[in-house]
Amino acid sequence: MQLDKLHYAILNELQLKARASNAEIGRKIGLTAPAVAERIKKLEEAGIIKGYAVVVEYTELQYTQNVLIAIKLHPNIMIMSFLKETQEIEGIVKMVHTTGDNCFFLHMFVKSTQEITLVLDRLSKFGRTTTYSILSVPIDHKPITLK
């Protein structure tokens, strides 16, 4: 899909406010609401817009333990069995596969340190874990100005 400056303008507006109406976006970038809707539809069909999400403040719901768990898988571990296990673990909100000393980082919200301990017990069969307590998140979701 060939993108022009109006596509990028739409993407920039949606990053700032995903629930903005097509009319609101159109007023800001100089298009009609139907033209914005058509462009958004094409961006979705092309897989550039993957979806829309609700951002939940888990700590307001008593999920007070915000942690990153790094894991270095044992050499004989099949990644697919690890991924299947992590799909069944409640509290994981994001997981990234990385280069470096650790293979994966799991971002979790849970209600207690006991829950973290149970997760670490489940993960120990796959490799060595290191747990980091998140003290603050100075940048949570910063839009990239697309050009």
Side-chain angles (χ1 to χ4, degrees):
M1 175 177 183
Q2 186 68 27
L3 301 183
D4 62 22
K5 67 179 183 166
L6 292 171
H7 288 105
Y8 288 115
I10 291 168
L11 290 168
N12 288 331
E13 291 300 321
L14 287 172
Q15 285 185 92
L16 295 172
K17 185 178 174 190
R19 292 183 55 141
S21 70
N22 294 336
E24 185 179 344
I25 294 169
R27 279 191 298 278
K28 288 185 177 184
I29 67 169
L31 286 177
T32 65
V36 170
E38 184 60 31
R39 284 174 176 261
I40 289 173
K41 181 180 174 190
K42 288 181 180 176
L43 290 165
E44 291 170 344
E45 289 170 351
I48 294 167
I49 295 176
K50 292 173 44 174
Y52 305 87
V54 172
V55 179
V56 175
E57 183 56 57
Y58 293 105
T59 57
E60 292 294 322
L61 301 170
Q62 286 71 54
Y63 287 81
T64 57
Q65 301 296 313
N66 183 2
V67 298
L68 286 177
I69 299 173
I71 184 162
K72 181 175 185 175
L73 298 180
H74 296 307
N76 60 337
I77 293 295
M78 298 296 294
I79 289 178
M80 292 309 294
S81 63
F82 169 75
L83 294 176
K84 183 179 179 193
E85 181 84 16
T86 57
Q87 288 296 321
E88 298 172 6
I89 297 174
E90 282 297 320
I92 297 174
V93 294
K94 187 168 193 166
M95 182 169 62
V96 294
H97 190 189
T98 66
T99 60
D101 288 337
N102 295 296
C103 303
F104 291 91
F105 282 85
L106 291 70
H107 183 195
M108 296 189 69
F109 285 92
V110 294
K111 290 186 174 185
S112 67
T113 54
Q114 291 83 2
E115 288 181 67
I116 297 169
T117 301
L118 293 173
V119 170
L120 294 174
D121 286 346
R122 285 180 76 173
L123 296 176
S124 66
K125 65 185 172 191
F126 295 103
R128 181 185 52 81
T129 62
T130 305
T131 305
Y132 303 91
S133 183
I134 297 174
L135 301 175
S136 69
V137 183
I139 297 175
D140 186 24
H141 183 80
K142 180 181 168 198
I144 299 170
T145 303
L146 303 169
K147 302 174 193 173

